[in-house]
């Protein structure tokens, strides 16, 4: 089977999904992109996601490139400089980060830090006059999310959240079926996202750093429910948070979370997220049949089916990340709206907070 390319045509997508789709590459196909240099991107935080996915993806991007890095670990810098030929003047730490404002080679700051640090570095980047990409989850609280949105608006810079799946064709295919009611109205959604997390001393196991499964994999399950209905949930009717390994997920920190989300008209979504088991699926029950995606949020291999046919646009890692960054770069160059703005991250964190409150109180919580 042919590997999907960012240059694949609108016709190819339409035939495969049984719907009139817009491919990720062609979202901007009819626009006149300003002729200018590629955007320089600085990665803030050099953990796994930056090292294994974003940096390699920036070697594939057409509209941006890896221009700089920000790290609090000096020992990491020689490898990054040697491997990616990053000039010394584009290397920053957390103390001198604000001086990035004076660097014309850095256009975008990509914040890839633990969630508890997102607010600080998004706001500092915005005040430095740099466009901002922020990894999910956007922040720990809705109030922090709003402060990040406000700071970027006040400083006239773009803010985009790293929801890679919203840029990819399999996700866009099932969304188009839902939005077009090509199988009738959505009646119910079931979604799960999880994997076996074997680390024991990572930020994901530390509540003060934004840890717990609901902020990490839970955001995918929430996205599955929201995109599966094409609407926003109005309440969390029930939720449960627990740990199968309480010696790792201490003091009530969630290793597994289940929740029932109510949507307008009384339709329900059941979601589950876990650091204890591998699971990744999205089932959208419509009036005229099911859309079944499994997996639905992997780095590759996402695929599904419906009565309209197969949904399967294959590609290789790290295509998703390159595709996402190329799209967001074009938005900056054109001055056009980003596909996944800060408001989208805010919506998910409102649901996260409602889930945690419902689990704690045992009551239905409005969103």
């Amino acid at each position: 089977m042919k590997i999907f390319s960012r240059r694949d045509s609108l016709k190819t997508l339409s035939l495969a999904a049984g719907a009139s789709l817009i491919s990720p590459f062609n979202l901007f196909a009819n626009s006149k992109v300003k002729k200018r240099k590629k955007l320089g991107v600085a990665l803030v935080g050099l953990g796994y996601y930056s090292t294994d996915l974003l940096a390699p993806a920036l070697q594939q991007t057409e509209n941006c490139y890896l221009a700089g890095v920000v790290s609090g670990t000096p020992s990491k810098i020689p490898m990054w400089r040697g491997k990616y030929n990053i000039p010394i003047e584009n290397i920053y730490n957390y103390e001198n980060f604000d001086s990035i404002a004076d660097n014309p080679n850095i256009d975008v700051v990509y914040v890839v830090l633990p969630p508890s640090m997102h607010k600080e570095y998004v706001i500092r980047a915005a005040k430095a006059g740099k466009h901002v990409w922020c990894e999910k989850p956007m922040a720990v609280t809705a109030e922090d999310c709003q402060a990040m949105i406000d700071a970027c608006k006040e400083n006239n810079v773009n803010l985009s959240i790293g929801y890679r799946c919203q840029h990819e064709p399999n996700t866009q295919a099932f969304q188009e079926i839902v939005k077009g009611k090509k199988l009738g109205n959505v009646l119910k959604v079931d979604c799960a996202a999880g994997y076996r997390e074997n680390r024991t001393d990572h930020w994901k196991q530390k509540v003060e750093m934004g840890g717990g499964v609901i902020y990490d994999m839970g955001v995918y399950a929430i996205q599955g429910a929201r995109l599966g209905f094409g609407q926003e949930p109005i309440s969390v009717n029930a939720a449960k948070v627990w740990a199968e390994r309480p010696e790792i997920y201490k003091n009530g920190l969630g290793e597994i979370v289940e929740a029932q989300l109510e949507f307008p008209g009384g339709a329900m979504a059941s979601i589950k997220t876990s650091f204890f088991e591998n699971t990744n699926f999205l089932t959208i029950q419509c009036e005229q049949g099911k859309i079944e995606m499994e997996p639905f949020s992997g780095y590759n291999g996402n695929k599904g089916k419906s009565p309209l046919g197969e949904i399967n646009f294959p590609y290789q890692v790290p295509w998703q990340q390159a595709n996402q960054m190329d799209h967001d770069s074009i938005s900056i160059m054109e001055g056009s709206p980003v596909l996944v703005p800060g408001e989208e991250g805010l919506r998910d964190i409102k649901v996260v907070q409602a889930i945690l409150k419902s689990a704690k109180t045992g009551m239905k919580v409005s969103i």
Side-chain angles (χ1 to χ4, degrees):
M1 182 177 290
K2 174 180 169 299
I3 299 299
F4 189 78
S5 162
R6 289 197 291 281
R7 296 186 181 277
D8 277 331
S9 69
L10 174 62
K11 181 179 179 181
T12 302
L13 279 165
S14 299
L15 289 174
S20 177
L21 299 177
I22 301 175
S23 83
F25 182 78
N26 283 311
L27 283 171
F28 308 100
N30 297 321
S31 302
K32 293 182 178 179
V33 179
K34 295 178 182 178
K35 299 293 184 182
R36 57 154 297 172
K37 67 179 179 69
K38 289 184 176 183
L39 299 181
V41 178
L43 298 175
V44 183
L46 303 183
Y48 160 75
Y49 197 69
S50 286
T51 302
D52 288 13
L53 292 161
L54 293 178
L58 283 162
Q59 310 314 301
Q60 301 180 11
T61 45
E62 300 170 4
N63 303 305
C64 56
Y65 71 101
L66 178 59
V69 294
V70 182
S71 177
T73 308
S75 61
K76 292 182 179 181
I77 299 305
M79 184 281 289
W80 281 80
R81 288 200 66 203
K83 187 172 183 177
Y84 296 111
N85 196 29
I86 300 173
I88 189 65
E89 61 268 23
N90 292 356
I91 305 292
Y92 296 88
N93 57 46
Y94 300 135
E95 286 70 38
N96 67 11
F97 173 74
D98 299 308
S99 65
I100 205 169
D102 302 320
N103 192 333
N105 295 315
I106 306 294
D107 301 290
V108 181
V109 166
Y110 198 149
V111 177
V112 200
L113 295 164
S116 61
M117 301 175 71
H118 286 184
K119 175 186 175 183
E120 176 185 351
Y121 282 89
V122 167
I123 291 176
R124 288 172 71 177
K127 289 182 177 180
K130 305 302 179 182
H131 299 290
V132 188
W133 300 339
C134 179
E135 255 315 298
K136 65 86 193 160
M138 183 176 176
V140 178
T141 68
E143 292 76 16
D144 285 355
C145 293
Q146 190 61 57
M148 294 155 68
I149 292 168
D150 292 344
C152 289
K153 288 181 177 178
E154 289 167 6
N155 289 280
N156 197 32
V157 297
N158 277 23
L159 172 60
S160 183
I161 309 305
Y163 288 138
R164 55 190 167 77
C165 289
Q166 290 204 28
H167 296 261
E168 71 96 38
N170 298 287
T171 301
Q172 293 186 342
F174 81 69
Q175 283 187 270
E176 195 69 22
I177 295 171
V178 169
K179 290 177 181 177
K181 296 188 177 181
K182 299 183 183 299
L183 293 174
N185 292 319
V186 176
L187 304 177
K188 181 183 178 183
V189 170
D190 291 287
C191 187
Y195 70 95
R196 178 80 175 191
E197 175 58 80
N198 291 317
R199 289 173 292 190
T200 60
D201 192 31
H202 189 259
W203 66 258
K204 294 180 182 182
Q205 290 86 43
K206 298 178 181 180
V207 66
E208 69 275 11
M209 298 183 76
V213 71
I214 190 62
Y215 282 103
D216 187 54
M217 295 304 292
V219 169
Y220 291 115
I222 292 167
Q223 285 268 307
R226 293 179 51 240
L227 301 182
F229 270 108
Q231 296 181 337
E232 299 304 319
I234 58 175
S235 65
V236 177
N237 286 11
K240 182 181 178 182
V241 177
W242 77 98
E244 293 291 337
R245 297 173 291 177
E247 71 280 7
I248 299 173
Y249 296 89
K250 301 174 182 178
N251 302 316
L253 191 63
E255 181 181 18
I256 305 173
V257 177
E258 293 180 349
Q260 298 289 321
L261 309 183
E262 182 177 343
F263 285 77
M268 300 295 295
S270 299
I271 66 170
K272 180 177 181 178
T273 185
S274 176
F275 278 154
F276 186 69
E277 61 183 321
N278 295 314
T279 181
N280 196 288
F281 70 86
L282 170 63
T283 303
I284 306 168
Q285 179 65 60
C286 303
E287 291 174 313
Q288 299 166 24
K290 291 181 181 179
I291 306 169
E292 298 175 278
M293 305 293 298
E294 188 171 1
F296 82 98
S297 65
Y299 289 150
N300 67 349
N302 297 331
K303 60 183 178 179
K305 61 183 180 179
S306 82
L308 299 174
E310 182 183 39
I311 299 172
N312 186 11
F313 302 108
Y315 43 78
Q316 297 176 340
V317 177
W319 183 89
Q320 280 188 11
Q321 287 78 10
N323 182 54
Q324 169 201 322
M325 292 187 286
D326 268 337
H327 286 175
D328 287 338
S329 294
I330 293 174
S331 293
I332 292 169
M333 292 176 181
E334 291 187 329
S336 58
V338 297
L339 182 61
V340 189
E343 287 78 4
E344 180 72 351
L346 170 61
R347 294 183 190 106
D348 283 337
I349 298 306
K350 285 181 177 179
V351 178
V352 166
Q353 290 188 287
I355 288 171
L356 293 175
K357 184 176 180 180
S358 178
K360 184 176 182 179
T361 63
M363 299 177 66
K364 178 177 179 177
V365 175
S366 296
I367 300 173

